[in-house]
Amino acid sequence: AVVVVGSCMTDLVSLTSRLPKTGETIHGHKFFIGFGGKGANQCVQAARLGAKTSMVCKVGKDSFGNDYIENLKQNGISTEFTYQTKDAATGTASIIVNNEGQNIIVIVAGANLLLNTEDLREAASAISRTKVMICQLEVAPATSLEALTIAHSNGVKTLFNPAPAMADLDPRFYTLSDVFCCNESEAEILTGLEVSSPEDAGKAALVLTERGCRVVIVTLGAEGCVMLSQTETVPKHIPAEKVKAVDTTGAGDSFVGALAFYLAYYPHLSLEEMLKRSNFIAAVSVQATGTQSSYPYKKDLPLDLF
Ligand code: ADP
């Protein structure tokens, strides 16, 4: 199984012809509500591939929270450790997108920041028995660290996605990560190196493995990803599928969710093969609009991925 300890965010999206100026009111032409949050996105992708999943998270005791729980259930995700609190609203991302695809975004993490180590003690039964646990940085860092510690001490494979990136990440995040998966900008913030090519990504991965992660993966959008494990000296580039991207939002989360699925259910595959397949699945997600709405189901994918 795959357990995710992470965030749920309700995306409130307005489409406008241009972005408003300070103090200005403008009319948009379309509004929609989407389900997002890096944690839940990754969990949904793993579930749609067929993983047994559980989402350890906190939403508000409000209508967005109720709707989010319904969304998790509809994706077949266990909500046994999905907590609801009266003390904060469900996390939201208020997003304005203009016709050029430029955006402005305000995130209020709300209930996500109230997921605490006491909640994790309750969820420890699930975390300690799963094959793979994923976490990110959209909940309190102390909560993610505790989740990694519980998983690690029970021999559960940990997949850590340091997003959004923090420059002075606690060094324990590296030593507790079996697989450390970040994108180009996160790799830049963490290492201080410029990362804009597979060669750069390989150099950043070397720095990150030296901090203690067993395996480092740096995703590179249309360039695919680069992997490096502690036992190797030469990074390997795995090119992406060549597709026409229409909306790359959430591609990284689709990739992480897919990778967790392969780590949990196809442990005999080489890491390179798992990454090829994860590239394929994330490439499907960029060919449709939206975040979770663009994530493929097992039934829509080629049989040779399974
Ligand atoms: P993030 O969403 O975190 O910025 P990336 O942009 O690095 O992450 O994308 C994650 C993965 O999604 C890539 O490693 C690749 O497999 C896939 N992907 C992203 N953009 C494209 C694209 N334009 N064409 C094909 N695959 C893509």
Side-chain angles (χ1 to χ4, degrees):
V2 173
V3 172
V4 179
V5 176
S7 57
C8 295
M9 303 267 186
T10 304
D11 292 339
L12 305 169
V13 187
S14 299
L15 305 184
T16 61
S17 54
R18 61 180 180 83
L19 303 178
K21 299 187 181 69
T22 306
E24 189 187 18
T25 300
I26 62 167
H27 283 260
H29 53 268
K30 194 179 171 185
F31 173 81
F32 60 90
I33 295 182
F35 295 108
K38 293 172 194 296
N41 291 346
Q42 294 168 11
C43 196
V44 164
Q45 181 63 85
R48 288 187 184 175
L49 297 175
K52 187 171 180 285
T53 50
S54 179
M55 187 67 206
V56 180
C57 59
K58 195 168 271 184
V59 296
K61 228 177 178 54
D62 49 27
S63 56
F64 288 153
N66 295 340
D67 290 350
Y68 215 112
I69 291 173
E70 194 49 41
N71 172 55
L72 294 174
K73 286 182 177 159
Q74 270 178 18
N75 279 283
I77 297 165
S78 165
T79 56
E80 190 181 352
F81 302 106
T82 297
Y83 302 98
Q84 269 189 300
T85 178
K86 287 196 176 108
D87 298 335
T90 298
T92 51
S94 299
I95 306 172
I96 300 172
V97 186
N98 71 11
N99 290 341
E100 280 76 60
Q102 293 167 316
N103 59 44
I104 50 175
I105 303 180
V106 177
I107 288 181
V108 180
N112 290 297
L113 295 181
L114 300 186
L115 183 71
N116 56 39
T117 50
E118 208 166 296
D119 298 324
L120 293 192
R121 269 195 283 282
E122 231 177 272
S125 54
I127 297 172
S128 60
R129 281 201 296 262
T130 190
K131 274 262 184 292
V132 173
M133 190 209 65
I134 323 179
C135 61
Q136 318 76 21
L137 293 173
E138 275 186 343
V139 298
T143 303
S144 289
L145 259 185
E146 176 71 7
L148 287 167
T149 305
I150 295 170
H152 188 76
S153 63
N154 285 284
V156 171
K157 187 156 268 195
T158 57
L159 170 49
F160 178 58
N161 173 223
M166 295 167 114
D168 49 356
L169 193 65
D170 187 309
R172 287 173 292 174
F173 279 107
Y174 299 104
T175 52
L176 290 168
S177 296
D178 290 311
V179 180
F180 187 97
C181 182
C182 61
N183 67 17
E184 285 161 288
S185 65
E186 290 146 9
E188 286 191 350
I189 291 169
L190 292 168
T191 63
L193 301 170
E194 194 195 306
V195 181
S196 54
S197 68
E199 294 72 45
D200 297 342
K203 288 182 192 145
L206 191 61
V207 171
L208 296 171
T209 50
E210 281 166 357
R211 293 184 189 165
C213 333
R214 254 71 68 214
V215 171
V216 171
I217 295 153
V218 181
T219 63
L220 299 158
E223 293 275 2
C225 62
V226 162
M227 63 175 246
L228 181 69
S229 71
Q230 266 182 347
T231 54
E232 298 161 337
T233 49
V234 187
K236 190 160 207 120
H237 176 214
I238 299 106
E241 295 293 317
K242 289 202 172 20
V243 298
K244 195 169 156 30
V246 300
D247 180 359
T248 61
T249 341
D253 293 334
S254 169
F255 181 93
V256 170
L259 178 58
F261 166 75
Y262 287 114
L263 289 166
Y265 290 91
Y266 292 82
H268 58 279
L269 291 178
S270 68
L271 183 64
E272 184 178 357
E273 180 59 30
M274 292 186 198
L275 296 177
K276 268 188 203 160
R277 296 183 190 195
S278 302
N279 270 343
F280 187 97
I281 289 160
V284 172
S285 84
V286 306
Q287 295 174 75
T289 55
T291 306
Q292 292 179 16
S293 52
S294 71
Y295 291 179
Y297 290 81
K298 178 176 184 177
K299 64 173 174 49
D300 304 319
L301 292 162
L303 286 173
D304 60 7
L305 288 176
F306 299 95

